[in-house]
Amino acid sequence: MTTVLPRLRAETITANSLKNITSSLDSLSPNQQLLPLTAIVNPRDRLEIGGCDVVELVQRYGSPLYILDEVSLRTACQQYRDAFTKHYQGRSQVLYASKAWSCLAVCAIVGAEGLGIDVVSAGEILTALRAEVAPSLIYFHGNNKSVDELSYALESGCTIVVDNWHELKTLDHLTKEQSLSTSFIEPRIMLRLTPGIECHTHEYIQTGHIDSKFGFDPNEIEAVFAYVSESSLNCVGIHAHIGSQIFELQPHQDIGGVMVQWFKLAGEKYSLKFSELNIGGGLGIRYVESDDPPSIEDWVKTVCAGVTDAFVTAGLGLPKLLCEPGRSLVGSTCVTAYTIGGSKTVPDIRTYITVDGGMSDNPRPITYQSKYRAVVANRMSAPLSQTVTIAGKHCESGDILIKDIQLPETNAGDILVVFGTGAYNYSMASNYNRLPKPAAIIVEGGESSLIIKRETREDLLRQDCLPERLRK
Ligand SMILES: *Cc1c(COP(=O)(O)O)cnc(C)c1O
């Protein structure tokens, strides 16, 4: 008998997730599940994802291994898209904030699902372009874009989300230079504003409050509008992003009301004809049982209601509404499989169990004190008999992946699978201690394919140079 894990776990979690039990798999919101949608326990008592036995995947591809469930990713994309169609009367476009995990396969899937892509560097632009995402659907963010990156984005035909005065003036200058050439296309820009909305999340991932390094301060908005109206930049709208891993709906309910006043001001006083409003990303996911994020549909519905209400009240037509989720699209679609090594028991204090990765493949626990859940994938129904701490293999006492988790008895060689590692894991991975970055695979219908090769020891030396005079 197989057990459908997202539902099994939802059952024991919170009242909110109880409603999931009766719904079919594709109506589950991936961001509310601890595990990918296709996760089951197979008859061999092992974890299976996308029809693939996770223990066999590790035997084939090695560990640590990122395992991406294609069904979960496509479902999340479709739920965003369908919710806008259902709850918004105007035009809309969902963008994937690719900093969550920028690689060819993820960009190609979200692109094929009709989403655009949000990028923050030339490297992310290149990845989106090579994944054949249309440049008209690529939006370039960042608070310190270089001249080189701006030129590349302009040549590629991306929309630029301007963050500050320095960038605005640089772009204006670049545009004037290029405007003499025959192939000149007026750059499409948006302006990022700091909306002054606070949300309850980790301080490092809050971006919408006034004291933030991102975006124009509300006090300078009129000066910015005046400057843009005199420039040769084609400004199509405004943008705000208030933070990440947000569980409350209120900040996104309010954002329409804050943005509409600036939309209106730009049109009435500065003759700027804005057509697009981008309200950012930020919807949270369930990392541990007590996390209780709203569903993708409820989040979209709230955003749409807030924007519609604000624009109708202001007597303006509905803008093209954009949002740019990262974590809630990709976070819950991936797990990381590790091989368990040794353990250490500090009497009366704790037992450490070590795995063959750590802060280099998942820097979130050490950076944000993030919490995770895990299972022993080769013995899924074994009773949870011990409380242990999962330690990484790096030379850093803080390299702890999970503190105090209930697990069955473990042995060296067991496969530990950590959930919710799709967002800000591979994209933040490093080679600390000269560990090669793990491989990533995608699973679907019993098939698995590599999407990122495992780095080799030689890869680690690829950029090293040894000057002649230092050679023996
Ligand atoms: C990080 C970021 C996002 C995505 O945030 P998530 O919490 O991953 O949805 C969207 N827009 C901007 C500008 C960002 O910086």
Side-chain angles (χ1 to χ4, degrees):
M1 207 201 73
T2 60
T3 314
V4 178
L5 276 173
R7 279 185 275 189
L8 174 83
R9 295 195 166 253
E11 201 172 358
T12 57
I13 300 169
T14 66
N16 182 45
S17 56
L18 283 176
K19 63 176 185 274
N20 292 339
I21 300 168
T22 49
S23 54
S24 73
L25 210 56
D26 62 2
S27 67
L28 297 180
S29 193
N31 72 312
Q32 293 183 317
Q33 316 305 322
L34 282 177
L35 281 109
L37 296 182
T38 64
I40 60 165
V41 176
N42 70 19
R44 296 162 83 184
D45 197 30
R46 292 168 166 185
L47 177 63
E48 189 172 299
I49 300 175
C52 298
D53 181 304
V54 167
V55 179
E56 286 177 2
L57 291 174
V58 171
Q59 284 160 358
R60 177 162 171 201
Y61 297 98
S63 73
L65 182 66
Y66 296 100
I67 303 168
L68 173 69
D69 178 37
E70 185 171 337
V71 167
S72 297
L73 181 55
R74 289 191 187 271
T75 302
C77 294
Q78 287 154 14
Q79 288 181 1
Y80 265 105
R81 229 184 37 210
D82 294 351
F84 274 100
T85 309
K86 186 166 160 197
H87 297 290
Y88 194 60
Q89 303 294 316
R91 292 188 304 148
S92 60
Q93 178 65 52
V94 180
L95 309 171
Y96 164 54
S98 69
K99 71 173 195 264
W101 190 359
S102 172
C103 67
L104 290 177
V106 172
C107 289
I109 290 172
V110 301
E113 291 296 338
L115 274 60
I117 305 243
D118 213 66
V119 294
V120 291
S121 68
E124 288 184 2
I125 297 176
L126 176 67
T127 309
L129 289 173
R130 290 283 166 84
E132 296 186 29
V133 176
S136 59
L137 292 178
I138 302 178
Y139 286 70
F140 185 26
H141 283 277
N143 66 318
N144 191 16
K145 306 172 184 82
S146 69
V147 171
D148 184 51
E149 286 177 314
L150 286 171
S151 308
Y152 178 48
L154 290 177
E155 280 161 27
S156 309
C158 308
T159 301
I160 300 188
V161 185
V162 180
D163 188 272
N164 53 61
W165 276 111
H166 172 67
E167 185 182 334
L168 188 57
K169 290 178 179 171
T170 308
L171 262 181
D172 192 24
H173 180 72
L174 277 176
T175 309
K176 285 195 179 115
E177 269 177 10
Q178 289 173 4
S179 61
L180 303 171
S181 103
T182 47
S183 60
F184 174 72
I185 324 162
E186 236 183 21
R188 259 179 120 253
I189 68 161
M190 295 185 82
L191 298 169
R192 177 167 183 168
L193 308 175
T194 313
I197 293 177
E198 308 238 350
C199 54
H200 299 122
T201 186
H202 192 285
E203 193 187 343
Y204 294 171
I205 50 179
Q206 258 187 19
T207 58
H209 54 308
I210 297 296
D211 180 12
S212 162
K213 73 166 184 171
F214 295 108
F216 288 101
D217 189 90
N219 291 319
E220 33 184 32
I221 285 175
E222 294 222 28
V224 175
F225 287 166
Y227 184 93
V228 171
S229 65
E230 301 283 300
S231 75
S232 51
L233 301 164
N234 172 23
C235 187
V236 298
I238 49 178
H239 166 277
H241 170 70
I242 55 181
S244 200
Q245 185 61 358
I246 302 170
F247 290 169
E248 315 153 88
L249 285 170
Q250 196 63 45
H252 283 101
Q253 168 92 48
D254 296 343
I255 200 164
V258 175
M259 301 298 273
V260 73
Q261 36 166 338
W262 294 324
F263 220 87
K264 196 169 167 135
L265 179 76
E268 288 178 353
K269 196 162 165 195
Y270 299 96
S271 308
L272 289 168
K273 301 257 172 301
F274 288 171
S275 57
E276 298 190 10
L277 175 66
N278 185 335
I279 49 81
L283 172 61
I285 71 169
R286 169 170 280 153
Y287 287 105
V288 297
E289 292 83 338
S290 58
D291 289 339
D292 191 16
S295 68
I296 290 173
E297 180 173 357
D298 283 347
W299 186 87
V300 172
K301 190 176 164 189
T302 302
V303 164
C304 294
V307 168
T308 303
D309 198 38
F311 278 71
V312 168
T313 307
L316 297 178
L318 290 184
K320 178 173 178 181
L321 183 53
L322 285 76
C323 72
E324 41 190 29
R327 190 191 311 270
S328 55
L329 273 174
V330 79
S332 311
T333 69
C334 181
V335 301
T336 305
Y338 302 92
T339 303
I340 290 177
S343 64
K344 170 182 173 177
T345 298
V346 186
D348 303 326
I349 300 186
R350 68 178 70 248
T351 294
Y352 290 96
I353 290 184
T354 51
V355 293
D356 54 353
M359 60 183 282
S360 59
D361 60 77
N362 184 358
R364 294 190 68 256
I366 202 167
T367 313
Y368 309 115
Q369 296 81 48
S370 311
K371 294 192 165 55
Y372 283 90
R373 282 293 173 261
V375 291
V376 174
N378 51 311
R379 228 173 310 116
M380 290 294 288
S381 57
L384 305 180
S385 56
Q386 52 174 351
T387 301
V388 297
T389 289
I390 309 296
K393 64 178 278 164
H394 292 277
C395 300
E396 195 81 46
S397 296
D399 179 27
I400 299 293
L401 284 176
I402 307 175
K403 215 172 159 184
D404 299 333
I405 182 176
Q406 295 270 103
L407 286 186
E409 289 309 311
T410 57
N411 303 305
D414 282 343
I415 305 302
L416 185 88
V417 168
V418 176
F419 313 142
T421 59
Y424 309 109
N425 271 231
Y426 197 96
S427 63
M428 289 182 139
S430 74
N431 291 117
Y432 181 47
N433 293 145
R434 286 240 141 163
L435 257 63
K437 285 186 195 154
I441 60 170
I442 190 163
V443 290
E444 202 273 323
E447 303 273 322
S448 63
S449 333
L450 262 185
I451 57 171
I452 305 179
K453 285 191 269 188
R454 184 177 302 282
E455 281 182 341
T456 64
R457 278 199 286 269
E458 285 301 320
D459 287 336
L460 295 170
L461 295 180
R462 211 171 37 205
Q463 305 296 87
D464 280 26
C465 306
L466 192 59
E468 200 57 54
R469 67 187 174 78
L470 299 182
R471 294 183 192 205
K472 277 203 165 170

